[in-house]
């Protein structure tokens, strides 16, 4: 997770002190802040500039900076801002418009606070998105009693994670599998899957491979939730309408004689076919678990389709 810059830490500490001061009270000077926090004058000045742009302090001739009356803690008109409120508001924006539409300035505007106000609680967008992801992974839990058998446990884990991605389509696009984030709430989901997979008695490398493969099925399918929404927004046409625009191209492919199986499938589906991602997720999950049952037979458990 990103490290907060020194000037923001100084601004946060000074903000806490200011909240207890009356309007017009003198604020420590740049030199005093630099000495107290062991930083350069430029860093201290940057911290004061953050608070000045937020409207928490104001410059007074021959007096330096003082507490601004309209933004004191006693002012009932001052927006109540917390890290949790910022994260929840950002999630709402991402759910509606995608993470690409999210910015610190836009978030501040949405909440009706000064543009720099979110930086009192967050170092920037990277930290915000990190917290958003962790928050949504923590929205769902598991029953107190585990289902019996590794297969039932993995089904529950997969469907639970799928529900999170279904609710928040942007989540699947944040980071590649090769660069995972240390999210505590995602770790809780991983622990469930790893516990179920550990019944196979694999070494740690193989266990990790299976856990990544398991999660990749969920994330890889969920990626298309957001992609379809973006495509709809960019083109203004539905999936069915888009397929109609491709009819001539597919007719050329299937009529060429080079792809007989494809041609037969397209002909059979001429009356219509709905690409249902929920259905694809489920049949992919069962195929994956069937494969595990064959490769790592444990305790006589059989294929889900034959049980």
């Amino acid at each position: 997770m990103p490290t907060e810059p020194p000037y923001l830490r100084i601004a946060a500490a000074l903000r806490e002190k200011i909240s207890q001061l009356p309007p017009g009270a003198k604020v420590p000077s740049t030199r005093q802040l630099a000495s107290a926090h062991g930083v350069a004058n430029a860093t201290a000045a940057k911290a004061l500039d953050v608070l000045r742009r937020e409207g928490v302090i104001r410059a007074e001739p021959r007096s330096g900076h003082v507490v601004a009356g309209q933004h004191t803690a006693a002012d009932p008109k001052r927006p109540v801002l917390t890290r949790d409120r910022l994260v929840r508001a950002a999630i709402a924006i991402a759910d509606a418009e995608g993470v690409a539409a999210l910015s610190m300035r836009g978030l501040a505007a949405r909440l009706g606070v000064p543009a720099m106000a979110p930086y009192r609680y967050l170092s920037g967008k990277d930290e915000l998105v990190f917290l958003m992801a962790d928050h949504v992974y923590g929205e769902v839990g598991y029953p107190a009693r585990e289902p019996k058998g590794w297969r039932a446990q993995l089904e529950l884990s997969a469907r639970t994670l799928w529900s999170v991605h279904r609710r928040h389509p942007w989540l699947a696009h944040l980071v590649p599998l090769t660069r995972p984030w240390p999210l505590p709430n995602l770790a809780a989901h991983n622990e469930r899957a790893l516990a179920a997979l550990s019944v196979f008695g694999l070494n740690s490398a193989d266990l990790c491979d299976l856990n990544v493969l398991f999660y990749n099925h969920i994330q890889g399918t969920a990626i298309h939730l957001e992609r379809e929404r973006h495509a709809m927004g960019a083109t203004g046409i539905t999936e069915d309408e888009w397929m109609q625009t491709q009819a001539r191209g597919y007719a050329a492919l299937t009529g060429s004689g080079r792809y007989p199986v494809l041609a037969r499938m397209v002909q059979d589906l001429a009356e219509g076919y709905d690409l249902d991602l929920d259905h694809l997720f489920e049949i992919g999950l069962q195929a994956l678990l069937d494969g595990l049952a064959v490769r790592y037979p444990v305790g006589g458990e059989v294929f889900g389709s034959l049980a």
Side-chain angles (χ1 to χ4, degrees):
M1 186 170 65
T3 302
E4 186 178 49
Y7 76 92
L8 288 179
R9 292 198 298 269
I10 296 171
L14 184 55
R15 190 181 298 105
E16 289 299 319
K17 293 181 180 180
I18 289 174
S19 67
Q20 307 301 319
L21 298 175
K26 191 171 178 60
V27 175
S29 67
T30 299
R31 182 173 297 178
Q32 289 171 327
L33 283 177
S35 176
H37 292 274
V39 297
N41 285 343
T43 301
K46 199 171 182 181
L48 288 173
D49 186 55
V50 168
L51 298 182
R52 186 172 61 253
R53 282 185 286 172
E54 290 177 6
V56 176
I57 63 176
R58 68 174 187 271
E60 285 286 328
R62 297 182 300 278
S63 297
H65 288 93
V66 299
V67 177
Q70 68 270 30
H71 286 288
T72 63
D75 188 348
K77 296 182 180 180
R78 181 181 180 184
V80 177
L81 198 61
T82 64
R83 174 178 285 204
D84 183 65
R85 185 183 175 204
L86 287 165
V87 170
R88 289 178 183 275
I91 290 171
I93 293 172
D95 286 346
E97 305 171 40
V99 172
L102 181 64
S103 69
M104 297 294 281
R105 183 176 294 275
L107 178 60
R110 185 73 60 96
L111 292 173
V113 299
M116 294 301 294
Y119 291 97
R120 288 160 26 193
Y121 306 90
L122 302 162
S123 61
K125 183 177 176 180
D126 286 347
E127 184 183 16
L128 174 62
V129 175
F130 181 96
L131 294 173
M132 289 165 59
D134 192 51
H135 182 94
V136 298
Y137 277 123
E139 288 179 346
V140 295
Y142 294 88
R145 179 171 294 184
E146 285 264 11
K148 293 183 179 180
W150 65 267
R151 185 177 189 120
Q153 292 166 10
L154 285 176
E155 286 177 336
L156 175 60
S157 180
R159 290 168 185 155
T160 300
L161 278 169
W162 176 249
S163 72
V164 176
H165 284 84
R166 205 69 174 88
R167 191 178 302 120
H168 306 288
W170 49 269
L171 185 60
H173 294 261
L174 294 186
V175 291
L177 287 173
T178 52
R179 302 187 182 193
W181 285 350
L183 301 170
N185 285 321
L186 178 57
H189 292 286
N190 281 332
E191 184 68 17
R192 303 281 301 211
L194 287 168
L197 291 166
S198 64
V199 72
F200 300 137
L202 303 173
N203 62 47
S204 293
D206 290 340
L207 182 62
C208 185
D209 285 343
L210 288 188
N211 186 49
V212 172
L213 178 65
F214 173 74
Y215 184 74
N216 182 61
H217 170 61
I218 302 165
Q219 184 192 54
T221 308
I223 280 175
H224 300 285
L225 295 168
E226 184 87 338
R227 285 181 177 174
E228 171 55 27
R229 186 167 69 176
H230 284 170
M232 177 68 179
T235 64
I237 61 176
T238 67
E239 179 185 347
D240 288 340
E241 291 169 338
W242 185 87
M243 287 300 296
Q244 291 174 8
T245 68
Q246 306 303 309
R248 180 177 297 179
Y250 273 103
L253 283 176
T254 57
S256 68
R258 298 173 58 190
Y259 315 104
V261 179
L262 173 64
R264 184 170 63 251
M265 182 189 73
V266 170
Q267 182 177 1
D268 289 345
L269 298 175
E271 296 302 316
Y273 168 73
D274 291 326
L275 185 62
D276 186 337
L277 290 178
D278 291 305
H279 177 63
L280 287 180
F281 161 76
E282 191 61 38
I283 63 174
L285 174 63
Q286 296 306 320
L288 175 59
L289 299 183
D290 284 349
L292 292 178
V294 173
R295 191 175 181 86
Y296 309 106
V298 176
E301 291 195 37
V302 295
F303 302 146
S305 57
L306 301 177

